[in-house]
Amino acid sequence: MGKGILGRKVGMTQVFDEGGNAVPVTVIQAGPCHVVQLRTVDRDGYEAVQLGFQDRPRRLASRSERGHVAQLESKRQKARAAAGVASSAKAGCEPKRWIRELRGPVEGYQVGQEIAVDTLAEVAAVDVTGVSIGRGYAGPMRRHNFSGQRASHGVKKVHRHPGGTGCSAFPSRVMKGTKMAGRLGGSRVTARNLKVVRVDLEHNLLLVRGAVPGPTGAFVVVRETNKVG
Amino acid sequence: MDQKLIELVESVHHRKEPLQFAVGDLVDVHTKIMEGDKERIQIYSGTVISRSGSRGREMFTVRRIVAGEGVERKFPVHSPRIDKIVVKRSSVVRRAKLFFLRDRVGKSVRLKERREKTVEK
């Protein structure tokens, strides 16, 4: 796994840099995360580090969620132990609210290890992945930045409409993928190459320059950017 | 919770001693500017016509007349580039935004001076 962590979007504000310029930043509450599981080529066919963020109260967590992070006493477990089957390593932490896998080599990571924001302290820029704000059924102007039609000059009741969507007798149909009104937002979006402005280990805060997908309070994945240069 | 975290982030830049000035004041804003690699103080003086925003993002607008032309400059209150603000004169004003000054020229731009009631003895 490259350098990365799970977090929660707190909101936006501005800070001043050394030159006294105001910098727009998004505040992300990043970590601390536990390594919950390691994916290996032998067993899973790929390599990844599974991270868990924020605790889910035990009374709300399902049995499988609890069993994922700690060894549970069960008949099946005892039977397997008796048969000599080694159970997989458990993190031994509280059940997690949000679990995501970050692909990449697992060397240097152990199950149960805690990952804090300082993992990104030396990183210049990050990619932040989240689910964008859902905007429901949106028209072409909002969804595809169409220009709409004129306010006057004979335009009637179609000021925000797309206008023509196709050709004529040939091909007598609308091409697939033509931009039209429809569901907007609520999709997985990655904001790439956001500069890391500040890392606050004491409060688990990460400040990145610019906006991050999703509403305040949404979970986001922060990874070192894969953008070159 | 979130607001508290944001305030925490902003509080790093908060001034230890808040700038003391009000709308209607005639002020000298001492700004630090970089010339090459040297820093010097430039003074911008005028009337404060508005304060907007809150907390770490608060801004204020200073209006002055340069060569017969009205000039307005907006500063962040917590900008580290502002060295200090000297209040030269305070005025009696009855509103928070003095945008009506933009429409005025000459003598009518003047504001009535506010004198502190000195309670001595």
Side-chain angles (χ1 to χ4, degrees):
Chain A
M1 174 185 105
K3 287 172 180 171
I5 198 166
L6 308 182
R8 200 178 127 266
K9 179 170 164 180
V10 172
M12 289 193 73
T13 181
Q14 64 178 30
V15 296
F16 295 99
D17 65 10
E18 310 83 54
N21 302 309
V23 181
V25 294
T26 305
V27 182
I28 298 171
Q29 191 180 20
C33 293
H34 279 97
V35 175
V36 179
Q37 203 177 41
L38 297 177
R39 299 283 188 193
T40 56
V41 177
D42 295 345
R43 203 185 53 189
D44 309 292
Y46 65 98
E47 276 194 293
V49 178
Q50 196 178 80
L51 297 179
F53 178 57
Q54 287 192 343
D55 294 344
R56 168 163 281 160
R58 288 186 191 188
R59 68 193 160 81
L60 298 177
S62 68
R63 196 165 158 82
S64 52
E65 281 171 331
R66 284 185 282 140
H68 191 54
V69 294
Q71 205 67 256
L72 294 182
E73 281 282 304
S74 68
K75 260 188 204 165
R76 184 168 172 266
Q77 198 58 253
K78 280 177 195 156
R80 278 168 72 91
V85 181
S87 59
S88 56
K90 303 288 181 179
C93 57
E94 290 296 303
K96 292 298 173 186
R97 220 177 127 188
W98 199 56
I99 290 177
R100 282 292 176 275
E101 287 180 3
L102 302 185
R103 296 289 283 259
V106 297
E107 272 98 60
Y109 292 96
Q110 291 109 39
V111 171
Q113 185 185 343
E114 205 172 274
I115 292 180
V117 242
D118 55 350
T119 180
L120 295 170
E122 305 292 310
V123 171
V126 291
D127 292 344
V128 181
T129 305
V131 176
S132 61
I133 294 175
R135 293 164 178 89
Y137 190 93
M141 288 180 71
R142 186 156 156 76
R143 190 168 182 228
H144 299 296
N145 290 330
F146 281 14
S147 309
Q149 297 183 34
R150 302 173 87 166
S152 66
H153 286 271
V155 177
K156 272 189 178 172
K157 300 177 185 170
V158 290
H159 308 287
R160 294 183 62 86
H161 283 227
T165 56
C167 312
S168 185
F170 179 79
S172 292
R173 63 189 172 89
V174 176
M175 291 298 175
K176 276 191 177 176
T178 301
K179 291 174 178 175
M180 294 192 193
R183 274 280 180 96
L184 174 61
S187 56
R188 184 186 150 105
V189 175
T190 303
R192 293 179 72 198
N193 211 12
L194 304 177
K195 233 169 78 187
V196 175
V197 176
R198 195 191 301 164
V199 170
D200 184 345
L201 183 59
E202 191 188 341
H203 301 98
N204 294 313
L205 295 180
L206 172 71
L207 268 60
V208 296
R209 189 181 204 284
V212 157
T216 293
F219 289 133
V220 291
V221 179
V222 184
R223 279 166 300 179
E224 183 174 11
T225 188
N226 59 1
K227 206 150 186 168
V228 184
Chain B
M1 181 61 201
D2 286 347
Q3 278 306 311
K4 272 184 192 149
L5 288 176
I6 285 185
E7 272 168 40
L8 186 88
V9 168
E10 288 173 354
S11 65
V12 175
H13 301 287
H14 280 191
R15 291 176 178 280
K16 290 194 183 67
E17 289 165 17
L19 299 174
Q20 296 292 342
F21 66 97
V23 170
D25 287 0
L26 185 71
V27 293
D28 281 355
V29 184
H30 293 242
T31 54
K32 295 175 193 163
I33 59 168
M34 295 297 287
E35 269 185 359
D37 52 353
K38 271 191 167 178
E39 196 180 73
R40 72 177 185 88
I41 301 278
Q42 189 181 56
I43 298 173
Y44 181 89
S45 50
T47 315
V48 179
I49 62 165
S50 87
R51 287 183 80 148
S52 61
S54 59
R55 302 199 309 268
R57 286 162 292 186
E58 191 175 349
M59 309 275 285
F60 65 97
T61 311
V62 179
R63 181 178 170 86
R64 64 178 297 188
I65 306 292
V66 180
E69 192 62 48
V71 174
E72 283 177 17
R73 205 172 150 185
K74 215 165 177 182
F75 300 93
V77 170
H78 294 283
S79 168
R81 280 201 201 151
I82 295 181
D83 186 41
K84 62 177 176 180
I85 290 184
V86 180
V87 178
K88 304 292 268 287
R89 183 174 182 275
S90 294
S91 319
V92 178
V93 289
R94 297 177 68 165
R95 51 210 75 220
K97 314 280 185 215
L98 306 182
F99 297 147
F100 63 88
L101 291 180
R102 291 172 177 168
D103 305 326
R104 298 196 176 180
V105 280
K107 277 187 174 181
S108 59
V109 179
R110 289 172 305 168
L111 295 168
K112 192 175 164 194
E113 186 167 357
R114 185 177 76 215
R115 294 184 190 280
E116 296 302 325
K117 284 170 188 157
T118 45
V119 187
E120 280 173 44
K121 282 177 272 182

